[in-house]
Amino acid sequence: MQDFFLNFGQATYTIFSDPLSISVFIAGLLGGMIFGAVPGVSMLTLAAIALPFSSNFSSENALMFFAVIYCSGVFGGAITAILFNIPGAPENAPTAFDGYPMTLKGMAGKAVGAAVLCSAVGGTASAILMMIATKPISDWAETTSSPEVFALVFFGVAVASSVGAKSLWKGWLSVLFGVCIAMIGTEPVSGSQRFDFGIWQLWSGFDFVVLILGFFAISEIFFQLERRAKGDLDAPAVNLDFPTLAEFWKLKYAVARSIVIGFFAGILPGIGATLAAFMGYNEAVRWSKTPENFGKGELEGVVSSETANNAATGAAMIPLLTIGIPGGALTAMMYSVFQTHNIEPGPLVFINSNDLVWIVFVAMFFANIAIFFLGWLQTKTVVHLLRVPFHLLAPIILLMAIIGAYARRNSPLDVFVMFAAGLVGYLMRRSDYSIPAIVLGVILGGIGEKTLVQGTQMTGHSFIEFVTRPVCFILFAAGAITILVSVYKAVRKPA
Amino acid sequence: MSPAALNFIQRSFMKNISLKTWIETGLWISFALFGLYLCFDLIANSQTGFLTSEDDSAFTPATWPRMIFSMIIVVALVNLAVAWFNGENPSEERASAASEGGFIRQNAKLFGFVSVSLLYGILLAWMGFYILTPFFILAILLLSGERRWFPLVALAFGLHVFLIVLFYRVLGMTLPTGTGTFYEISASLQNFMYSIF
């Protein structure tokens, strides 16, 4: 316990004693809230744009920046979900189910106010749980090796396939497409070149940041332009009547339930906050005495979803820090930041870079507290930001994305790849495939192949020995059950 | 092909599955078969010696891709089978296809935007960021319907200069300079930027 407070105090001092660190903290906080709230961009856009420049900062400031925009961005995405039915990120999608109908009813202030408070409560609770739970999980993680990591990847993929796409099969095809993208370049075990079509720039595969920029930022611009062509981008009227304390008190059980669901769902690699938000919302519907009101503007729907997705932010750091497996697109970018600074996330990070880990923890803790205060302010000001026409924002986003994509490897090919990924992402979104699933396929595919080969070599190519390791058995069984249940539901109910 | 012929094909062969599902399934299976074909090529051209292992159970660079491409074929076929048994509404699809025609007309600007973006990606290596980007932004703004001169100039040229100063001058990043004559013009612009900022 003494170590806990010592680490907490040291990290707090490191962040708030240096003017540059304070500036980075505030920039991440405001950047995440603004990018999360502006239609057409999201925290992932900001993170993707900032990623190439993270090498210019110290490892402490770079990681803190990403941790802070993760917290503030997840909250920021709720604003567009509520006001425009445009979730800033997949994890804000359930927020739109009831938030947007509330806006249409003229209750936008209540919905956004609830999102502010619940994001702060859920995120802070998650940060505290993360500080307490990460070390024990890390100790356990030291005993794990490639077979366990592959089993975890299998479980993550099993869950990831059921979120975001119109049907389970399209979810699976999205994940598998992402895995195919990850296969291009140098094969991870023998070092052979694979699927490079004679283009030497592809020997190292596609850059993840370039793909992220294409799949999220560029495809979103294509999507917004299509909406603009159809005239679907009308801003609804907004009033700012916040919910009362009595209204919140009635929802205390929903908040507590969503914190627990969000935290444990967030630990799962591969899906994190998105699954948490959907589970939080689904459980709210399941436990409600008036489930028929959900989807028509029920405050509890907004509260459950926003508490759960913010509760998952801290939990999503656990697989990243303890095993080195990112839980989502933003944690995948944080993985890249670690590598840029020559740090390998995993059990040893607590021994080699303990101060860095605590800076991430403490930054997320204070970011969630700051959301509570800044969120109220943002609610009153964001309306004015939303008046900037999207066609004027699009060139700014494009220029930043072009420079960001080129800056990764000084390769013009990457800029083309970014636009091509944007087009593919746009077409797949129009056909109801899942972009988050593709991105997670890219990340988990690379890790999956490497650990599968290493694992089979460790076990002397014995599949039985691979599967019967205790942790592997549990994870394979859980993954298999998840797949069987989702297949059963998908086959029983028409897609 | 006439509408009557399309109707005949729909009734006779496609049952109650939409044309979109057939096309998607075909694309996925073609993609996977092409990938599997490349796997053969991969094994033939491997020079690492990794594949000469006498242990048949050892992984090769083609093992994982084969698994994934095979899974794509299976999932695409299951998707088709589920649509076959559960049924889709081809009449809805025909209406959707008709609206797709409307979509193309309605989104001519979007197609223009996509084309300009891909063209930019292709020409960037040749013409460079400094010369090509202002015209790209100008094209995007014009396609977006912006006709006021101030936003056009401010975003196409003002923002361009601001970002060059920020990234090239302040952060010291290199930006594509193009080749040949374009390289010389880009270099002159860089020197000009240095002399001013």
Side-chain angles (χ1 to χ4, degrees), chain B residues 116-138:
Chain B
V116 167
S117 301
L118 291 176
L119 193 66
Y120 176 85
I122 293 166
L123 292 178
L124 186 65
W126 180 49
M127 291 181 69
F129 179 86
Y130 296 90
I131 297 163
L132 194 59
T133 304
F135 298 104
F136 171 61
I137 297 299
L138 204 60

Side-chain angles (χ1 to χ4, degrees), chain A residues 110-132:
Chain A
K110 273 193 195 302
V112 175
V116 170
L117 183 70
C118 296
S119 296
V121 170
T124 309
S126 174
I128 294 167
L129 284 170
M130 171 179 65
M131 290 181 215
I132 297 165

Side-chain angles (χ1 to χ4, degrees), chain A residues 60-348:
Chain A
E60 291 86 356
N61 284 340
L63 282 168
M64 180 178 69
F65 183 76
F66 279 82
V68 171
I69 56 174
Y70 191 19
C71 298
S72 58
V74 168
F75 156 70
I79 305 273
T80 45
I82 292 167
L83 296 183
F84 299 103
N85 206 19
I86 307 171
E91 52 264 39
N92 299 116
T95 309
F97 295 168
D98 280 284
Y100 190 61
M102 285 181 76
T103 298
L104 295 179
K105 286 180 182 176
M107 296 162 68
K110 273 193 195 302
V112 175
V116 170
L117 183 70
C118 296
S119 296
V121 170
T124 309
S126 174
I128 294 167
L129 284 170
M130 171 179 65
M131 290 181 215
I132 297 165
T134 304
K135 193 68 177 76
I137 293 173
S138 156
D139 292 340
W140 164 78
E142 282 179 39
T143 63
T144 64
S145 54
S146 294
E148 282 78 16
V149 176
F150 177 75
L152 207 55
V153 167
F154 173 75
F155 183 55
V157 167
V159 180
S161 58
S162 60
V163 177
K166 188 184 177 186
S167 67
L168 175 74
W169 318 111
K170 289 197 169 184
W172 269 108
L173 287 168
S174 304
V175 174
L176 291 170
F177 182 64
V179 176
C180 287
I181 293 172
M183 292 189 305
I184 294 170
T186 306
E187 190 259 336
V189 178
S190 72
S192 309
Q193 306 304 328
R194 200 167 57 183
F195 308 131
D196 58 10
F197 303 100
I199 302 169
W200 65 266
Q201 287 98 329
L202 292 182
W203 287 358
S204 53
F206 289 125
D207 190 279
F208 179 65
V209 176
V210 172
L211 292 174
I212 285 277
L213 282 168
F215 281 130
F216 284 97
I218 303 297
S219 78
E220 188 64 41
I221 290 174
F222 290 159
F223 230 83
Q224 296 295 334
L225 284 173
E226 185 192 336
R227 285 172 65 99
R228 187 177 147 81
K230 287 179 180 170
D232 286 351
L233 272 178
D234 294 336
V238 176
N239 80 42
L240 294 173
D241 292 336
F242 291 129
T244 60
L245 279 176
E247 281 175 304
F248 276 128
W249 188 245
K250 281 184 195 165
L251 300 171
K252 57 186 179 293
Y253 295 119
V255 171
R257 185 175 56 232
S258 291
I259 288 173
V260 175
I261 291 170
F263 189 80
F264 284 101
I267 293 173
L268 298 177
I271 205 63
T274 307
L275 179 71
F278 277 92
M279 280 178 69
Y281 184 85
N282 288 344
E283 286 305 299
V285 176
R286 211 163 64 89
W287 286 79
S288 174
K289 287 175 184 168
T290 53
E292 66 279 5
N293 290 346
F294 283 80
K296 297 172 185 168
E298 182 73 38
L299 186 64
E300 191 177 344
V302 176
V303 164
S304 301
S305 163
E306 274 308 298
T307 308
N309 66 25
N310 280 275
T313 54
M317 294 293 149
I318 293 176
L320 173 71
L321 294 172
T322 55
I323 317 170
I325 292 182
L330 197 123
T331 41
M333 291 187 216
M334 288 185 78
Y335 183 88
S336 175
V337 176
F338 271 108
Q339 289 189 321
T340 302
H341 290 89
N342 295 322
I343 303 163
E344 194 63 36
L348 288 177

Side-chain angles (χ1 to χ4, degrees), chain B:
Chain B
M1 197 180 283
S2 69
L6 273 174
N7 263 337
F8 175 76
I9 292 169
Q10 181 84 58
R11 279 200 313 273
S12 309
F13 304 107
M14 293 162 67
K15 303 284 181 186
N16 53 355
I17 297 178
S18 69
L19 183 63
K20 191 179 168 188
T21 305
W22 281 105
I23 292 172
E24 281 180 21
T25 308
L27 284 173
W28 281 115
I29 291 176
S30 307
F31 170 73
L33 288 175
F34 179 63
L36 286 170
Y37 164 75
L38 290 178
C39 287
F40 287 109
D41 192 43
L42 190 69
I43 292 167
N45 292 325
S46 177
Q47 295 171 356
T48 61
F50 185 74
L51 301 173
T52 58
S53 166
E54 289 176 4
D55 186 351
D56 290 338
S57 59
F59 269 82
T60 74
T63 309
W64 176 261
R66 277 178 184 160
M67 282 165 56
I68 301 302
F69 288 128
S70 304
M71 281 170 74
I72 287 177
I73 293 174
V74 171
V75 177
L77 288 175
V78 169
N79 185 38
L80 187 72
V82 169
W84 182 286
F85 287 114
N86 288 338
E88 287 179 328
N89 192 341
S91 60
E92 255 180 35
E93 177 61 28
R94 277 195 288 275
S96 164
S99 72
E100 286 288 303
F103 167 80
I104 291 169
R105 280 193 298 279
Q106 197 176 28
N107 289 283
K109 285 181 181 176
L110 177 66
F111 290 109
F113 182 79
V114 171
S115 308
V116 167
S117 301
L118 291 176
L119 193 66
Y120 176 85
I122 293 166
L123 292 178
L124 186 65
W126 180 49
M127 291 181 69
F129 179 86
Y130 296 90
I131 297 163
L132 194 59
T133 304
F135 298 104
F136 171 61
I137 297 299
L138 204 60
I140 295 296
L141 284 167
L142 288 170
L143 282 168
S144 306
E146 184 60 63
R147 294 291 181 271
R148 292 168 299 165
W149 70 269
F150 182 73
L152 287 174
V153 173
L155 285 169
F157 296 98
L159 177 69
H160 181 56
V161 170
F162 170 74
L163 290 178
I164 289 173
V165 171
L166 177 66
F167 290 106
Y168 175 66
R169 192 77 177 87
V170 178
L171 293 175
M173 287 171 48
T174 55
L175 295 166
T177 46
T179 55
T181 312
F182 294 112
Y183 169 76
E184 287 167 18
I185 299 171
S186 296
S188 307
L189 280 171
Q190 282 179 339
N191 291 334
F192 181 64
M193 289 286 175
Y194 257 115
S195 63
I196 293 181
F197 301 103

